[in-house]
Amino acid sequence: MPGQVYRQSWVALPPDGSTTMHNGGGFPADSYTPTNWAASVKSDQDIGSGGMLILPTTLSKKFPNLGVNPGKDAKIRILNLANLSGKGAPGNLGGELSLFSFPQMSEMRASGAVWTNPADKSVWVFIPGNNGLAGFQVVVDSAGNPSLKMKWSMFNGWTTSVFVANGVLYAANGGGEHTTTLKLHQMQAINPTTGKVVWTSNIGVHHWSSPIMANGILYMVDGNSGGFSSGTSGDLIAWSMG
């Protein structure tokens, strides 16, 4: 319940971690709760599983502190992190600056990535989901209001968390609960502005595992090592990116 139990909310805490007490309950400094919170809790469509993508502060003078939140409810929200509900206090409903409905992607419950294109300084967010991956450009109108413009989408299977390194977007498809029934299990290198896959390498079944890069080496685990089933079998795969 908003103001008492923040089970379907984003909350903000003061820098010192303190809280305001009222009638025996603690309150955060601020909060965002969707208007349909009760129905979404009942249907297991929590918004927190997609994480919060923090945008650069230079996008909008009106709203310099912006965050993008994809959720299991197949919606992507842009929130004002400095005033989450737009009402200056916790316990209110709604208040998102932008709401992008994305039923084609279904549930979004892995971490996306934020990237600034060095060529034109445009800001992009890349959001994985149950059905694939999509690239959005963040646009701001003349009044300073932000929104998302989808530039490309790729529906080729459940995609786990993604990242951008050296101007390349890396993603692994074929994950999730139904990994054994999916046809594709690939590591992919993608052009972030077009969505064109420029390189792939086959991997095995995996669940929540996601790629990482360290010192120019790309790593991915699959099999039981990738969170699928149980045990210690599976592979740690490394690619040297030329």
Side-chain angles (χ1 to χ4, degrees):
M1 179 176 181
Q4 296 182 24
V5 177
Y6 292 85
R7 62 186 298 180
Q8 178 68 322
S9 305
W10 288 96
V11 298
L13 300 177
D16 63 0
S18 62
T19 187
T20 301
M21 301 301 295
H22 180 70
N23 292 334
F27 284 72
D30 196 8
S31 67
Y32 167 81
T33 305
T35 55
N36 66 335
W37 69 272
S40 60
V41 167
K42 185 177 181 180
S43 56
D44 188 27
Q45 293 184 332
D46 45 286
I47 64 173
S49 57
M52 182 69 75
L53 303 173
I54 308 300
L55 300 182
T57 58
T58 54
L59 272 171
S60 171
K61 292 183 179 179
K62 183 178 181 181
F63 302 110
N65 302 110
L66 295 171
V68 175
N69 166 226
K72 284 174 68 175
D73 60 352
K75 293 180 173 59
I76 308 171
R77 297 165 172 83
I78 298 182
L79 303 180
N80 177 10
L81 302 182
N83 187 359
L84 288 166
S85 68
K87 299 176 183 177
N92 294 292
L93 298 180
E96 63 275 350
L97 300 178
S98 175
L99 186 65
F100 186 94
S101 183
F102 201 8
Q104 302 94 324
M105 189 58 75
S106 186
E107 296 179 344
M108 291 168 279
R109 45 184 172 156
S111 296
V114 178
W115 175 66
T116 299
N117 185 349
D120 59 8
K121 306 304 179 185
S122 58
V123 176
W124 293 68
V125 293
F126 306 103
I127 298 177
N130 275 27
N131 294 327
L133 178 63
F136 296 83
Q137 191 170 336
V138 183
V139 295
V140 178
D141 65 20
S142 58
N145 300 307
S147 60
L148 295 176
K149 182 177 182 180
M150 189 165 65
K151 304 296 285 188
W152 56 265
S153 59
M154 181 167 53
F155 299 111
N156 63 357
W158 204 106
T159 301
T160 54
S161 299
V162 302
F163 71 92
V164 180
N166 301 318
V168 179
L169 174 64
Y170 294 95
N173 64 13
E177 291 89 342
H178 305 292
T179 179
T180 56
T181 65
L182 298 178
K183 294 181 179 180
L184 289 177
H185 302 86
Q186 294 179 327
M187 174 59 60
Q188 307 162 98
I190 302 163
N191 182 318
T193 61
T194 66
K196 181 181 179 180
V197 178
V198 297
W199 170 85
T200 63
S201 184
N202 291 333
I203 56 177
V205 296
H206 63 104
H207 189 193
W208 298 111
S209 56
S210 302
I212 62 170
M213 181 174 285
N215 297 322
I217 306 296
L218 180 66
Y219 296 94
M220 178 69 184
V221 295
D222 67 9
N224 293 343
S225 298
F228 174 69
S229 188
S230 61
T232 57
S233 63
D235 302 302
L236 170 61
I237 310 168
W239 297 268
S240 176
M241 310 308 294

